[in-house]
Amino acid sequence: MLNPENNEGTKIIENEQLYLREFTSDDFDDLCQILEDKETMYAYEAPFTKEKVKDWLTWNMTSYKENGFGLWAIIDQTSHAFVGQCGIVYSDVESESLLEIGYLVNKRYWNRGYASSASQLCLTYAKHELHAKRIHSIIRDNNSASQKVAEKNGMTIIHEFDKDYSGQAIRHFVYSIDLNK
Ligand SMILES: CC(C)(COP(=O)(O)OP(=O)(O)OC[C@H]1O[C@@H](n2cnc3c(N)ncnc32)[C@H](O)[C@@H]1OP(=O)(O)O)[C@@H](O)C(=O)NCCC(=O)NCCS
């Protein structure tokens, strides 16, 4: 739960349903609930250990300083619950660094529109604050829910490639949208 008396992260952007704010170290337990969960992490190589969650938090907090963006906490406007994470990161695809919108929602809150709503805010942020010309979402071929969100964001597949998951080639799609249109 977001406690206003705690070390609250900077608010980035909002709509009626939710707002996105920077992570703080107080978010560790909420992030563990998402990143340590096997079902949530099915599209990734494996669920995270606590050590990897710590690295994830540090990676995002460093990105706020270096890039001005990263993955942010999705907070429900009414309940103030930490429902997930969504934001903008750089991702490597075959030696190219692409600007990506990423999202992971706590499974308690799936299918309530949070990822769609939060990623729409990120599209607005990328276009108007970062003046990005194009943004992507990189999604495993069997991740239908994530693909649905990308399609609702107006993205289409522009490329396919394999990511190495411990020696196994796993197909991924690069979804993309031209922000100038
Ligand atoms: C992908 C994810 C972030 C979506 O979050 P969410 O808040 O539930 O997303 P939304 O409610 O905004 O939209 C989900 C859409 O996918 C649809 N959907 C859900 N499960 C689906 C499935 N198995 N097959 C097809 N569509 C599915 C929903 O019906 C909804 O579409 P609709 O609005 O047209 O009904 C969430 O499932 C998640 O955290 N998954 C695990 C982490 C992950 O894979 N992240 C993305 C990595 S690329």
Side-chain angles (χ1 to χ4, degrees):
M1 278 291 256
L2 181 71
N3 178 348
E5 290 176 5
N6 278 353
N7 172 25
E8 191 176 330
T10 306
K11 194 186 272 191
I12 303 298
I13 190 165
E14 64 185 325
N15 60 22
E16 278 190 7
Q17 185 185 18
L18 58 90
Y19 64 91
L20 300 178
R21 65 149 174 83
E22 291 183 347
F23 293 143
T24 73
S25 49
D26 291 347
D27 295 322
F28 182 73
D29 291 344
D30 285 309
L31 286 170
C32 284
Q33 279 191 29
I34 298 170
L35 296 167
E36 289 182 332
D37 180 64
K38 204 173 165 190
E39 187 187 3
T40 307
M41 298 298 280
Y42 76 96
Y44 295 77
E45 195 167 5
F48 282 13
T49 58
K50 291 226 177 324
E51 206 52 47
K52 271 191 96 172
V53 179
K54 256 188 226 159
D55 293 345
W56 181 264
L57 196 47
T58 305
W59 167 58
N60 281 291
M61 289 165 103
T62 305
S63 180
Y64 303 153
K65 285 202 193 105
E66 290 180 354
N67 304 315
F69 54 81
L71 289 172
W72 297 304
I74 306 173
I75 308 293
D76 181 89
Q77 290 280 17
T78 308
S79 66
H80 299 291
F82 182 116
V83 302
Q85 41 186 322
C86 183
I88 301 170
V89 297
Y90 284 115
S91 291
D92 292 335
V93 174
E94 294 174 334
S95 77
E96 204 181 337
S97 180
L98 300 180
L99 205 57
E100 176 178 19
I101 294 182
Y103 32 77
L104 294 103
V105 169
N106 185 310
K107 67 182 178 190
R108 272 187 291 166
Y109 301 102
W110 283 358
N111 298 320
R112 297 194 206 171
Y114 284 111
S116 303
S117 178
S119 53
Q120 287 287 338
L121 287 176
C122 291
L123 279 177
T124 302
Y125 189 90
K127 182 171 178 159
H128 297 292
E129 301 296 327
L130 305 180
H131 307 291
K133 292 186 172 55
R134 183 166 276 284
I135 197 152
H136 310 82
S137 284
I138 296 144
I139 304 176
R140 188 171 170 169
D141 61 353
N142 65 354
N143 192 346
S144 305
S146 182
Q147 289 172 25
K148 190 74 190 280
V149 173
E151 283 159 15
K152 286 201 284 179
N153 285 336
M155 292 184 171
T156 53
I157 296 172
I158 58 161
H159 185 60
E160 295 184 23
F161 71 108
D162 290 329
K163 261 192 201 181
D164 182 78
Y165 280 14
S166 301
Q168 215 191 332
I170 301 293
R171 204 70 176 159
H172 281 72
F173 299 139
V174 179
Y175 280 79
S176 182
I177 185 168
D178 181 347
L179 296 173
N180 287 325
K181 283 188 183 157

